[in-house]
Amino acid sequence: MTARVERSAHRSRASRLLPLVVGAGLVVTLAACASAGPAPDGAPARSGSTPVVLPDAQTEPLLAEVPERTLAAAPLERLAEGLVPPTNRWFSGLVLNEDPMPVFPQPLSFRLDAAGFTFGAPTVVAQPGLIAGAMTEHIVVENGSDRSEVTRYDEVSVTTTQFDADDAPVARVTIARGSPVVSYVAEAAHSLTVSEPLEAASGAGEGIHLATVGGLDYALIAPEATVSADGLTVELPAGATANWLAVPADGDLAELAPLAASPLDHVEVEYAAADESVSTGIRYVTEDGSPTLVGTLPHHGEQTASPVGSYTTVYGPMALAASGGVDATTPTVAPAASLDLSALDDAERAELAEQLELDAGSLGTLPADTYFGGKALARIATLITLAGQLGEEGIEQSLRTRLAEELRTWFDPAGCEQREERCFLYDPVMRGMVGLAPSFGSEEFNDHHFHYGNFLYAAAIAVEGDAALLEELSPMATLLAADVASFGGERFADWRAFDPYSGHSWASGYSPFGDGNNQESSSEAIAAHQGVALWASASGDEALAEQATWMLSLESLSARTYWTNVDTTAEPFAAYDRSVVGIVWDGKRDYATWFSPEPAAILGIQLIPMRPGTGASLGSDPDRVLENIAEATESGPAPQFADYLLMYQSLAGPEQAELALEAARDLPMSSIDDGNTRTYMLAWIMSQD
């Protein structure tokens, strides 16, 4: 995300919600592309798929009632006409900035240059508090082009077309997550100038040349090319391919080269969600339909194809295989609207009821921006579910009335015609909903999933048992869900922030950074998918519910793998010397936050808002929970997120839950986050005991 300046301390009755439908055998296949309909001139044709979730036919009538305005458009000169601007993607920095920023398809780093492109496999190094694999300029390729334009993309791969001074296409270049290949197709006869001399690769086959830089081999697989005697110029006829492969140190080039020969055309994603697990299939489709080389990361688990090499990435070791893609099975994390209070005794329930009355009576005026305003609405929603569970009907009804009033204001489709806060408008240039007042760069599409997940969670609770309110709130809630989770239309970016290969979301809209895109709060991303799933259940949208459950499950696994349960046992990661990561970038993993250097903040931002049902995502290993807390409080009591740290502590077993409960009862009100309440904190801890 864009830097959060002076960010403050962060932040039921589910049984009456419509049942969340998760089809045990349903598989949704997505030939993922940027927009429906014909491709722009010069672009590869879209592979095509039926719209799956919240398509244009559903959202366009709703958008007709919403004012349009663009607050902060990105430069779109490098995006082909007709394509939806790809905000919040791993490659957004390539497209949505004045100058192209480096991107990290993994295991490669890549950057567009004035007359071509640069790429290389980063050398990953670790030091206290930092794992880094910066942009590496090993191979510089110039092809006489004058400009580059993104002409096709999906959630895993992106194609740029490079044009000469007469605006004629020179070549197509495709990169993809998990691919060690830079695919290159000549649109016209031309020559390449390369920064490192190429030599024929002995024994690897015809048309294969090698350049060695920094101890790494890069193979050019170009059977129709002519390479000059000095190895610095490559002549290509029209239609020829010239793919580059970063050769793994433990790989056999003769075996790998044929698998890197066919250019990548596009990548498709399929998923299924069942009670016990969700499955993800990522299919890499080459131009001739042959298998290719695909790398997998730790969260993907074991693959059926045998490894043919490996790389080190900032995410950890990457296993390379000759296959058609990635197949991963992930434990299902089911969305929940309420805590399980069934084991509480009468004294605990009475204690909660007494605290509930205090918290319900001290809500005050709610913030007017989309981040803190959304948190405040979600805070009321948690109190509503607790009031219902505790039998406090009067408090529940009072809170429901307040929440409905607040949501009616925010969800008024024409609200932004009358005011500059507590409303949403549609940005027709960047293709998405923008709330007023914006916060943390949300006008640039930063953090939309964090913000809108809160609104959708609150709306799902608010409409429980109230058909009239459901009808009233549905138009705007549907649009907010579409902004972060739709697939298959042109009015919104597909899966706004979610990266199916990485298994997590990206928070920066335009990604104006040299280290790629990033995400700080893995837990707020988890809460976002939960909010979408609960709204899908409340509104009866089975396709959205299936997709949101899949995303929630993957995001939960990635949060443990790359943020809270970091594995530093293998080299070179041992020097990192920390148990959690504060910000995951594509080019580094950093023990930091955007808003505070305090260890408690670095852990706390991975915990908030600790919604119902997310305990297993955070605390499957009690020893690791205690290790993380010890690190967070190594300098003394937590100055920030003390409430969430106590809730987290309760996941380490009954004895720790009792200690946390005692401390929570005495915690000063000033130490309770503005998205939390003492009632919810106590109820969370009691439900873990």
Side-chain angles (χ1 to χ4, degrees):
M1 68 179 74
T2 296
R4 295 184 172 188
V5 180
E6 297 182 355
R7 180 172 181 169
S8 81
H10 275 69
R11 0 254 204 260
S12 88
R13 280 184 288 176
S15 60
R16 293 210 304 257
L17 292 175
L18 294 175
L20 181 64
V21 179
V22 180
L26 178 62
V27 176
V28 184
T29 301
L30 310 176
C33 290
S35 61
D41 292 343
R46 177 177 179 160
S47 54
S49 69
T50 301
V52 176
V53 173
L54 300 173
D56 290 347
Q58 185 174 355
T59 60
E60 284 184 340
L62 307 179
L63 287 172
E65 305 301 317
V66 177
E68 295 186 352
R69 194 190 315 173
T70 299
L71 300 183
L76 299 178
E77 290 78 9
R78 285 190 303 280
L79 185 68
E81 184 178 354
L83 297 186
V84 177
T87 68
N88 305 86
R89 305 243 67 89
W90 64 269
F91 60 86
S92 295
L94 192 78
V95 193
L96 303 178
N97 295 278
E98 293 290 346
D99 297 314
M101 304 302 295
V103 296
F104 298 80
Q106 305 294 349
L108 299 176
S109 58
F110 178 93
R111 186 185 66 236
L112 290 173
D113 291 336
F117 57 91
T118 300
F119 72 96
T123 299
V124 177
V125 296
Q127 64 188 51
L130 179 67
I131 299 169
M135 172 70 203
T136 303
E137 301 180 2
H138 279 169
I139 302 293
V140 179
V141 179
E142 296 184 353
N143 57 11
S145 60
D146 186 65
R147 69 179 184 89
S148 297
E149 187 176 87
V150 169
T151 48
R152 184 212 62 86
Y153 72 82
D154 50 55
E155 284 59 54
V156 180
S157 68
V158 59
T159 298
T160 61
T161 300
Q162 300 185 316
F163 298 87
D164 64 19
D166 295 324
D167 221 28
V170 175
R172 297 196 316 271
V173 182
T174 299
I175 55 176
R177 301 287 278 175
S179 174
V181 179
V182 177
S183 296
Y184 191 95
V185 179
E187 296 277 29
H190 65 280
S191 63
L192 303 177
T193 300
V194 297
S195 58
E196 302 295 331
L198 294 160
E199 296 183 359
S202 176
E206 294 296 323
I208 301 174
H209 292 74
L210 278 178
T212 302
V213 192
L216 298 176
D217 289 338
Y218 295 90
L220 175 64
I221 305 164
E224 299 176 73
T226 301
V227 179
S228 63
D230 64 4
L232 295 175
T233 303
V234 180
E235 297 291 341
L236 292 172
T241 61
N243 289 358
W244 294 88
L245 167 67
V247 183
D250 54 353
D252 180 354
L253 180 57
E255 178 184 8
L256 300 178
L259 295 161
S262 181
L264 185 67
D265 184 74
H266 68 279
V267 178
E268 300 175 0
V269 177
E270 60 187 18
Y271 62 84
D275 290 342
E276 298 298 323
S277 64
V278 302
S279 60
T280 306
I282 305 174
R283 308 287 169 238
Y284 292 69
V285 182
T286 59
E287 291 195 355
D288 67 4
S290 63
T292 186
L293 294 168
V294 179
T296 53
L297 293 173
H299 75 281
H300 292 132
E302 293 186 8
Q303 301 292 301
T304 56
S306 299
V308 295
S310 63
Y311 305 92
T312 299
T313 76
V314 296
Y315 284 83
M318 172 181 280
L320 187 66
S323 69
V326 177
D327 289 287
T329 301
T330 306
T332 297
V333 176
S338 62
L339 301 171
D340 181 1
L341 304 184
S342 60
L344 272 60
D345 59 30
D346 290 344
E348 289 173 322
R349 296 176 70 89
E351 180 182 359
L352 289 180
E354 182 179 352
Q355 185 61 49
L356 173 68
E357 185 174 4
L358 295 174
D359 285 334
S362 58
L363 295 176
T365 302
L366 305 190
D369 67 288
T370 55
Y371 181 68
F372 293 107
K375 283 181 66 176
L377 296 174
R379 180 182 63 194
I380 297 175
T382 61
L383 292 177
I384 288 173
T385 61
L386 290 171
Q389 290 174 297
L390 296 170
E392 297 292 334
E393 296 181 1
I395 294 177
E396 180 187 11
Q397 189 53 53
S398 175
L399 290 171
R400 286 191 175 280
T401 299
R402 175 70 184 275
L403 183 58
E405 291 173 351
E406 298 284 351
L407 285 169
R408 285 189 179 101
T409 298
W410 274 102
F411 283 20
D412 176 5
C416 287
E417 293 177 351
Q418 289 91 36
R419 55 187 179 274
E420 292 296 311
E421 62 182 29
R422 294 184 171 87
C423 63
F424 295 94
L425 50 80
Y426 178 73
D427 183 336
V429 175
M430 301 308 299
R431 314 280 184 95
M433 305 302 295
V434 176
L436 300 180
S439 50
F440 304 119
S442 58
E443 72 276 19
E444 296 180 356
F445 287 78
N446 296 345
D447 301 357
H448 276 205
H449 54 320
F450 298 165
H451 297 205
Y452 299 169
N454 285 323
F455 283 93
L456 293 169
Y457 175 79
I461 302 302
V463 302
E464 176 191 7
D466 190 336
L469 187 62
L470 172 64
E471 182 178 2
E472 187 175 355
L473 299 185
S474 281
M476 187 58 70
T478 298
L479 293 176
L480 296 186
D483 183 88
V484 297
S486 67
F487 185 91
E490 297 183 1
R491 302 305 297 268
F492 296 94
D494 289 341
W495 298 345
R496 174 76 62 193
F498 188 70
D499 180 338
Y501 177 85
S502 300
H504 66 75
S505 303
W506 297 110
S508 176
Y510 301 167
S511 189
F513 306 112
D515 289 307
N517 213 321
N518 72 91
Q519 179 162 269
E520 180 185 57
S521 181
S522 59
S523 53
E524 287 182 293
I526 291 170
H529 302 312
Q530 186 182 31
V532 173
L534 291 174
W535 174 255
S537 177
S539 59
D541 190 330
E542 297 180 11
L544 179 61
E546 171 110 4
Q547 178 186 278
T549 300
W550 168 65
M551 291 179 173
L552 171 61
S553 302
L554 264 63
E555 193 96 43
S556 297
L557 174 62
S558 289
R560 293 195 303 273
T561 306
Y562 304 120
W563 276 267
T564 61
N565 289 26
V566 179
D567 182 0
T568 58
T569 56
E571 293 297 335
F573 304 104
Y576 178 68
D577 84 346
R578 288 295 179 178
S579 64
V580 301
V581 167
I583 307 176
V584 169
W585 299 76
D586 229 356
K588 65 181 180 182
R589 294 164 73 190
D590 203 357
Y591 189 71
T593 74
W594 286 110
F595 59 96
S596 171
E598 292 291 336
I602 294 169
L603 175 58
I605 198 65
Q606 309 312 328
L607 305 180
I608 65 170
M610 299 188 77
R611 293 273 161 73
T614 57
S617 300
L618 294 168
S620 57
D621 181 351
D623 290 339
R624 190 54 178 260
V625 169
L626 295 179
E627 179 185 354
N628 290 348
I629 290 174
E631 180 178 274
T633 57
E634 61 188 4
S635 300
Q640 192 173 13
F641 300 130
D643 50 346
Y644 293 115
L645 292 181
L646 291 173
M647 294 161 72
Y648 186 50
Q649 180 183 346
S650 71
L651 299 174
E655 182 178 347
Q656 292 296 325
E658 186 60 35
L659 292 172
L661 184 58
E662 291 177 10
R665 287 172 172 142
D666 295 331
L667 192 68
M669 286 299 298
S670 59
S671 295
I672 298 177
D673 178 54
D674 57 1
N676 201 2
T677 60
R678 192 182 302 276
T679 309
Y680 185 71
M681 174 178 58
L682 295 175
W684 168 281
I685 297 171
M686 290 175 182
S687 70
Q688 309 303 321
D689 192 355

